[in-house]
Amino acid sequence: MYRNITLLGSTGSIGRQTLDVVRRLKINVTALTANRSVKLLEEQAREFNPRAVCIADENKYLEMKNSLADTDIKVFGGDDGILECARLSESELAVNAIVGIAGLRPTLEAISAKKDIALANKETLVTGGEIVKNAVIENGVKLLPVDSEHSAVFQCLQGAPRGSLKKIILTASGGPFFGKTRDELERVTVKEALNHPNWSMGAKITIDSATMMNKGLEVIEACHLFNVGLDDIEVVVHRESIIHSMVEFNDNAVVAQLGSADMRIPIQYAITYPERVESPCLPLDFAELGSLTFTKPDREVFECLALCERAFGQGGLMPAVANGSNEAAVELFLSGKIGILDIPRLIKKAMINIPNKQNINIDDVYTADSEARKIVMSEYS
Ligand code: NAD
Ligand code: MG
């Protein structure tokens, strides 16, 4: 079990649930970071007494520094401050709970400082997959999945001999708009999109779940984490979110991981791996559940899933283009400027207009990300 962790993105949904796990397991916190929530970061710092905190938004730096002036906690600001926190020597594990491509550099920084990584930030692998995987191998660190589906696959694979995996079956809740037609999607509101049936999460991933972009990002994440191709992954809609994913072996035996829809299970497993200790999560009651259902995803209505698969198939910069255009489009949707069907339309536009390139480096990824955002924003400025 890890004893000293750094938590990047501590004020978000995963961040707060991670601190709940940390509090129960009595783990030391080396650093906490946030984007702009000064008040909550201050509260967390006073409770967990890390060596350092960082507020990414430079405009909030003075306020943050003043709020902790009576403590000996070091206060950093800006993106560079997040990187400082990611590499602090005491921590053994960096939990990355930042949302979006903003998590990519901090992941790489922590890896190069030889930290193991508990990765909730799926955009890290979507945008920088090969680069991150090479850095993991070069530095001999572990990359532990936190995303519930990937944690499930990881758990199912424990003890499996190399070469025995035939297929990964990723489950998807289908989100709030499962079963709707394109015409019906045309009229959905932000409020409806934010109302996820099974999970309470940050706004961006909740919209990604409503468009099924989230499942597309997760397909790419799974290809990288488990070194498989698109053909080795099947997505199945499972409305109840009880089976968190499954693996099929060469002999067609299927192993699944089940549990209540509570992110503290995968978060805790990444921290205690390979141990299992008590958790506050509710046990399953099978008689109460009654039945579990499965259906095919509709890639015509939920185009984002197919777009992510296409982007991964094209390789190179395309996954970063799909991700960056989605991040910008989701912001526009959340601010009421576009409808939900404009999200896949804008992703497609970015993917068509940005020339692809293979053998990419980190600067190429950030350039593709900003080009993709520009294409999206050009319609709405
Ligand atoms: P959230 O919006 O609730 O929290 C995001 C955190 O990142 C906050 O602490 C915020 O301050 C910080 N942050 C935002 N922008 C930043 C920036 N530019 N620089 C530095 N820090 C920044 O998001 P969340 O729902 O907790 O999701 C976090 C990540 O975990 C996402 O990648 C998401 O896809 C993934 N994930 C979340 C869940 C879930 O249940 N919430 C499940 C699986 C995976
Ligand atoms: Mg997930």
Side-chain angles (χ1 to χ4, degrees), residues 5-16:
I5 70 156
T6 282
L7 173 53
L8 307 167
S10 62
T11 54
S13 162
I14 293 288
R16 282 174 281 127

Side-chain angles (χ1 to χ4, degrees), residues 117-165:
I117 308 290
L119 193 66
N121 178 256
K122 62 192 79 186
E123 296 88 348
T124 281
L125 281 175
V126 170
T127 58
E130 295 302 328
I131 300 167
V132 173
K133 273 170 34 180
N134 288 337
V136 163
I137 293 166
E138 236 166 69
N139 290 281
V141 301
K142 286 199 190 76
L143 185 57
L144 300 155
V146 170
D147 210 345
S148 59
E149 295 77 2
H150 306 75
S151 174
V153 170
F154 182 62
Q155 293 179 54
C156 293
L157 287 174
Q158 294 303 307
R162 202 175 267 277
S164 60
L165 173 68

